[in-house]
Amino acid sequence: MYHMTSTHCSPRSVAVLLFLSAALAPLIAQPGPDSPIGKTKIAGFYAEAPLTPGSTPEAARRCYGADLINPNLNALDAFYQPFSDKLTGAVQSIQDYYTQRNQAFYKNQDPSTMRAQASAQANQNPIVASMGGADAIAQMSPAEREAAARKAAVAYQADPFGANGIQSDGMTAVYQKIISDPAYAARFQNMSEKERETELRNAMANDKPQVKTPAQMQEHQQKVAQQNTQANKVRAAMAFQQVIAEFQAKINEAQQQYQQQRDALLAGPGSHEAIEAEHSKKYKLIPVVELGEYGHDHDPGQVQQLRRETAVQHRDFAARVLKKDLPLLQELKAEYARIASEYSAYVAAHRQEINGKLADQMNGTETETMVAQFEVVLLGLAQDLSEKAKTCTREAAQWERNWWSETR
C-alpha cells in the first residue's frame, strides 16, 4: 500500500469527469449464480422473530416454566433458542459460501504474481504513473513521495484528460472553464446528460486530428478501456459504500428511537423506581416494636403488608409496561422491514454493478463481500428483535414472580 497526499478535483470539475468516465462503461464482474446475494428472505426472519407475551403470568411461565416454586432457569433461553438456531443457520450459510470462495481463490495464488498485479493496477492511476510508478514510489523517502505527489496532483488537475491519455483541446477547454468560471460551472452542473454531451461535442468540433500509428491507437484504446474499467469499479464501490452507510444510519436511528421510547416508558408515572422510593418512605414510618428475644424492629405485620402492597404495585406497573412493549417492538420490526425492503430493491436494481472479482480485493473495488456482510447485519436485526423481546419478558417475569412469592 502506497501512502501519499490525497488529491481531490474541485466540485466544479467533478461533473465533467464523472460524465466522461461513464462513457463506454464496461461491465463489472458480477456475483456468480451460486452467490447468496439478494436470495435470503430477510424480512421473513423479522416476521418470525418471537416477541413478547401478552401478560405477566404468561411472561413468568415463559421465563420459569409452569412451577414457580421450582423454576426452570433455562426456560426463557429454550423458548427463544429455536428461532436463534434457525437464524444462525442462515447466517452461517452465507459465511460458509464466502469462506469457501476465498479459500478456493487464494489457494493457488502466487504471492509474487499478486504483488505484480497490485503494482500494475496501481500504475493505472495517472498520478501514480506520473510519479514513476508504484515501484519507484516504494523507493522514495516520505519527503520525496510527498513532493512527487504534490507535483503530480498539480499536473493532473491542470489537464486530467492529457494525464489519462485523452488528447482533446475542446475537453481541456471545457474543464478549464469549469474550474475557473463559477457561473459556467453552476450552469454545467445543472445541465442534463444530453445537454452536457452536446456542450462537449461542440467544444471538441475543432479538435485537431491526432495522427497515430495503428499500434499507438491500439495501445491508447487498451489504456482508455483499462482506465474506464477501473473508474467504473471505483465509482461503483463508492456508491455501495455510501448506500450501505445510509442504511446503517437508518438502522441506528430506529434503534435509538426504540431505546428512547422504552426508557421513557420505564421512567413513566408509577415507575419501579418511584414505587421503591415510596416503599422506603412508608417503611420508615412503621413503628418499631419489641420482639422479645429477637430484640426490636419495625412491626413485622405492617412490614409484610407493605411488602405485599409494593409487590402488587410493581406487578401492575410491569403489566402496563409489557402491554406497551409489544407495540414498540412491532414498530421497530416494521422499520427494520422497510429498511430491508429498500435494500432488496436497491440490490435488485444495481446487482450488475456489484463487483464479485476477488482479485479486485487488492485495490478495494471488490464489493460483493461488503454487500454480503451487510446482509448478515440485516439478518442480525431479527436476532436484535428477539433479544429485546427476551429482555422485556424477563423483566416482566421477575416482577410477576416477586408478586407471587410475596402474596402467596
Side-chain angles (χ1 to χ4, degrees):
M1 180 64 68
Y2 304 102
H3 300 280
M4 51 189 168
T5 303
S6 61
T7 60
H8 303 279
C9 295
S10 69
R12 297 194 296 270
S13 65
V14 168
V16 65
L17 292 177
L18 289 180
F19 174 80
L20 291 170
S21 65
L24 305 176
L27 292 176
I28 290 174
Q30 300 171 30
D34 296 332
S35 171
I37 294 292
K39 296 179 181 178
T40 306
K41 304 299 182 184
I42 297 172
F45 281 95
Y46 301 159
E48 292 182 35
L51 299 183
T52 52
S55 66
T56 54
E58 186 181 348
R61 285 192 295 272
R62 185 178 294 186
C63 191
Y64 303 114
D67 186 358
L68 293 182
I69 296 178
N70 300 296
N72 177 2
L73 300 181
N74 297 318
L76 188 62
D77 289 336
F79 181 87
Y80 288 94
Q81 195 61 45
F83 174 75
S84 181
D85 290 343
K86 181 178 180 179
L87 183 61
T88 299
V91 170
Q92 192 63 50
S93 66
I94 295 175
Q95 293 175 335
D96 288 347
Y97 172 84
Y98 287 100
T99 297
Q100 294 168 9
R101 185 186 74 142
N102 290 352
Q103 288 175 345
F105 175 77
Y106 287 107
K107 182 178 181 180
N108 298 317
Q109 294 295 312
D110 178 51
S112 61
T113 300
M114 294 180 68
R115 285 194 296 271
Q117 290 174 342
S119 179
Q121 287 176 336
N123 288 339
Q124 292 176 15
N125 184 303
I127 293 181
V128 172
S130 69
M131 293 172 66
D135 291 338
I137 294 172
Q139 301 301 319
M140 295 179 182
S141 67
E144 291 172 334
R145 191 177 305 141
E146 177 80 11
R150 290 184 180 278
K151 182 178 179 181
V154 170
Y156 181 85
Q157 289 183 335
D159 186 7
F161 305 113
N164 283 282
I166 302 173
Q167 298 179 14
S168 170
D169 293 337
M171 283 187 179
T172 300
V174 170
Y175 174 77
Q176 293 294 344
K177 192 172 182 179
I178 286 174
I179 63 175
S180 62
D181 185 344
Y184 178 77
R187 183 161 64 85
F188 189 90
Q189 182 71 28
N190 292 326
M191 289 180 186
S192 66
E193 287 194 7
K194 186 174 182 180
E195 289 171 334
R196 291 178 186 172
E197 181 178 355
T198 300
E199 185 81 358
L200 290 169
R201 287 188 184 279
N202 290 339
M204 295 166 61
N206 296 322
D207 280 356
K208 295 179 181 180
Q210 300 296 325
V211 180
K212 294 183 179 181
T213 66
Q216 288 174 327
M217 287 294 295
Q218 183 178 7
E219 181 183 0
H220 171 72
Q221 290 170 356
Q222 289 176 344
K223 183 179 180 181
V224 170
Q226 290 174 348
Q227 290 173 348
N228 282 338
T229 298
Q230 186 62 19
N232 289 330
K233 290 178 180 179
V234 170
R235 188 166 52 250
M238 292 176 65
F240 278 109
Q241 289 170 356
Q242 178 65 29
V243 167
I244 288 175
E246 290 172 358
F247 281 130
Q248 187 62 62
K250 290 182 179 181
I251 292 170
N252 293 342
E253 183 179 356
Q255 291 175 334
Q256 289 173 4
Q257 182 175 355
Y258 167 83
Q259 196 58 54
Q260 289 171 357
Q261 290 176 325
R262 189 156 199 277
D263 289 345
L265 181 61
L266 290 173
S271 67
H272 293 302
E273 185 177 348
I275 292 170
E276 282 300 305
E278 185 65 20
H279 172 274
S280 179
K281 290 180 182 179
K282 290 181 177 180
Y283 178 81
K284 293 177 181 178
L285 296 176
I286 295 175
V288 175
V289 297
E290 293 294 333
L291 299 175
E293 63 184 45
Y294 296 104
H296 57 274
D297 202 347
H298 294 281
D299 185 342
Q302 293 187 47
V303 169
Q304 184 178 18
Q305 180 61 30
L306 178 60
R307 288 173 63 90
R308 287 176 176 174
E309 292 173 357
T310 302
V312 170
Q313 292 172 352
H314 277 303
R315 181 186 186 235
D316 290 345
F317 182 73
R320 293 197 299 273
V321 169
L322 187 62
K323 286 183 179 179
K324 294 180 180 179
D325 274 330
L326 183 58
L328 285 182
L329 285 170
Q330 289 173 331
E331 183 180 344
L332 181 61
K333 178 173 72 173
E335 185 59 27
Y336 284 169
R338 280 192 290 271
I339 293 170
S341 178
E342 289 179 16
Y343 162 82
S344 297
Y346 183 84
V347 167
H350 297 272
R351 186 179 180 87
Q352 73 279 6
E353 298 165 23
I354 299 175
N355 184 1
K357 188 177 180 181
L358 278 174
D360 284 333
Q361 287 186 342
M362 291 183 293
N363 59 37
T365 61
E366 187 268 337
T367 52
E368 182 177 351
T369 301
M370 173 176 62
V371 174
Q373 288 172 341
F374 186 65
E375 288 202 2
V376 170
V377 170
L378 289 174
L379 279 171
L381 298 182
Q383 184 66 31
D384 180 65
L385 287 170
S386 179
E387 289 297 329
K388 283 179 168 57
K390 193 174 178 180
T391 297
C392 297
T393 302
R394 182 185 295 108
E395 291 174 1
Q398 289 170 343
W399 291 117
E400 175 71 17
R401 187 163 183 255
N402 174 69
W403 167 84
W404 181 83
S405 63
E406 291 289 352
T407 58
R408 70 186 179 95

PDB file of all heavy atoms in Angstrom, residues 167-169 207-212 217:
ATOM      1  N   GLN A 167      -6.317  13.233 -25.693  1.00  0.00           N
ATOM      2  CA  GLN A 167      -5.815  14.471 -26.264  1.00  0.00           C
ATOM      3  C   GLN A 167      -6.960  15.211 -26.943  1.00  0.00           C
ATOM      4  O   GLN A 167      -7.358  14.881 -28.053  1.00  0.00           O
ATOM      5  CB  GLN A 167      -4.687  14.174 -27.260  1.00  0.00           C
ATOM      6  CG  GLN A 167      -3.488  13.496 -26.613  1.00  0.00           C
ATOM      7  CD  GLN A 167      -2.393  13.179 -27.615  1.00  0.00           C
ATOM      8  OE1 GLN A 167      -2.409  13.681 -28.726  1.00  0.00           O
ATOM      9  NE2 GLN A 167      -1.442  12.348 -27.201  1.00  0.00           N
ATOM     10  N   SER A 168      -7.495  16.181 -26.253  1.00  0.00           N
ATOM     11  CA  SER A 168      -8.621  16.947 -26.795  1.00  0.00           C
ATOM     12  C   SER A 168      -8.542  18.363 -26.263  1.00  0.00           C
ATOM     13  O   SER A 168      -8.727  18.602 -25.067  1.00  0.00           O
ATOM     14  CB  SER A 168      -9.954  16.311 -26.412  1.00  0.00           C
ATOM     15  OG  SER A 168     -11.031  17.176 -26.735  1.00  0.00           O
ATOM     16  N   ASP A 169      -8.260  19.311 -27.172  1.00  0.00           N
ATOM     17  CA  ASP A 169      -8.237  20.707 -26.763  1.00  0.00           C
ATOM     18  C   ASP A 169      -9.609  21.159 -26.296  1.00  0.00           C
ATOM     19  O   ASP A 169      -9.734  21.975 -25.363  1.00  0.00           O
ATOM     20  CB  ASP A 169      -7.773  21.582 -27.936  1.00  0.00           C
ATOM     21  CG  ASP A 169      -6.315  21.326 -28.304  1.00  0.00           C
ATOM     22  OD1 ASP A 169      -5.576  20.842 -27.416  1.00  0.00           O
ATOM     23  OD2 ASP A 169      -5.937  21.603 -29.453  1.00  0.00           O
ATOM     24  N   ASP A 207     -11.285  20.173 -32.646  1.00  0.00           N
ATOM     25  CA  ASP A 207     -10.057  19.481 -32.251  1.00  0.00           C
ATOM     26  C   ASP A 207      -9.257  19.060 -33.482  1.00  0.00           C
ATOM     27  O   ASP A 207      -9.822  18.594 -34.480  1.00  0.00           O
ATOM     28  CB  ASP A 207     -10.385  18.226 -31.428  1.00  0.00           C
ATOM     29  CG  ASP A 207     -10.708  18.552 -29.978  1.00  0.00           C
ATOM     30  OD1 ASP A 207     -10.606  19.737 -29.608  1.00  0.00           O
ATOM     31  OD2 ASP A 207     -11.072  17.617 -29.232  1.00  0.00           O
ATOM     32  N   LYS A 208      -7.948  19.208 -33.399  1.00  0.00           N
ATOM     33  CA  LYS A 208      -7.090  18.776 -34.497  1.00  0.00           C
ATOM     34  C   LYS A 208      -6.997  17.256 -34.490  1.00  0.00           C
ATOM     35  O   LYS A 208      -6.839  16.644 -33.436  1.00  0.00           O
ATOM     36  CB  LYS A 208      -5.698  19.381 -34.338  1.00  0.00           C
ATOM     37  CG  LYS A 208      -5.670  20.899 -34.462  1.00  0.00           C
ATOM     38  CD  LYS A 208      -4.259  21.421 -34.263  1.00  0.00           C
ATOM     39  CE  LYS A 208      -4.232  22.949 -34.365  1.00  0.00           C
ATOM     40  NZ  LYS A 208      -2.861  23.479 -34.172  1.00  0.00           N
ATOM     41  N   PRO A 209      -7.095  16.637 -35.651  1.00  0.00           N
ATOM     42  CA  PRO A 209      -6.972  15.174 -35.707  1.00  0.00           C
ATOM     43  C   PRO A 209      -5.623  14.734 -35.143  1.00  0.00           C
ATOM     44  O   PRO A 209      -4.590  15.351 -35.440  1.00  0.00           O
ATOM     45  CB  PRO A 209      -7.090  14.861 -37.203  1.00  0.00           C
ATOM     46  CG  PRO A 209      -7.761  16.052 -37.792  1.00  0.00           C
ATOM     47  CD  PRO A 209      -7.307  17.230 -36.984  1.00  0.00           C
ATOM     48  N   GLN A 210      -5.622  13.710 -34.349  1.00  0.00           N
ATOM     49  CA  GLN A 210      -4.400  13.179 -33.777  1.00  0.00           C
ATOM     50  C   GLN A 210      -3.918  12.011 -34.640  1.00  0.00           C
ATOM     51  O   GLN A 210      -4.605  10.993 -34.752  1.00  0.00           O
ATOM     52  CB  GLN A 210      -4.648  12.696 -32.333  1.00  0.00           C
ATOM     53  CG  GLN A 210      -5.126  13.781 -31.396  1.00  0.00           C
ATOM     54  CD  GLN A 210      -4.089  14.858 -31.199  1.00  0.00           C
ATOM     55  OE1 GLN A 210      -2.892  14.581 -31.174  1.00  0.00           O
ATOM     56  NE2 GLN A 210      -4.553  16.107 -31.069  1.00  0.00           N
ATOM     57  N   VAL A 211      -2.806  12.198 -35.271  1.00  0.00           N
ATOM     58  CA  VAL A 211      -2.271  11.168 -36.155  1.00  0.00           C
ATOM     59  C   VAL A 211      -1.486  10.165 -35.320  1.00  0.00           C
ATOM     60  O   VAL A 211      -0.505  10.528 -34.659  1.00  0.00           O
ATOM     61  CB  VAL A 211      -1.366  11.787 -37.238  1.00  0.00           C
ATOM     62  CG1 VAL A 211      -0.804  10.697 -38.148  1.00  0.00           C
ATOM     63  CG2 VAL A 211      -2.144  12.814 -38.040  1.00  0.00           C
ATOM     64  N   LYS A 212      -1.942   8.912 -35.335  1.00  0.00           N
ATOM     65  CA  LYS A 212      -1.262   7.871 -34.579  1.00  0.00           C
ATOM     66  C   LYS A 212      -1.110   6.638 -35.445  1.00  0.00           C
ATOM     67  O   LYS A 212      -1.923   6.388 -36.348  1.00  0.00           O
ATOM     68  CB  LYS A 212      -2.059   7.507 -33.314  1.00  0.00           C
ATOM     69  CG  LYS A 212      -2.138   8.631 -32.292  1.00  0.00           C
ATOM     70  CD  LYS A 212      -2.875   8.153 -31.045  1.00  0.00           C
ATOM     71  CE  LYS A 212      -2.938   9.260 -29.996  1.00  0.00           C
ATOM     72  NZ  LYS A 212      -3.636   8.819 -28.766  1.00  0.00           N
ATOM     73  N   MET A 217      -2.664   3.556 -31.661  1.00  0.00           N
ATOM     74  CA  MET A 217      -4.110   3.587 -31.486  1.00  0.00           C
ATOM     75  C   MET A 217      -4.582   2.428 -30.624  1.00  0.00           C
ATOM     76  O   MET A 217      -5.404   2.591 -29.723  1.00  0.00           O
ATOM     77  CB  MET A 217      -4.808   3.549 -32.846  1.00  0.00           C
ATOM     78  CG  MET A 217      -4.714   4.851 -33.639  1.00  0.00           C
ATOM     79  SD  MET A 217      -5.622   6.190 -32.810  1.00  0.00           S
ATOM     80  CE  MET A 217      -7.295   5.559 -32.924  1.00  0.00           C
TER      81      MET A 217
END
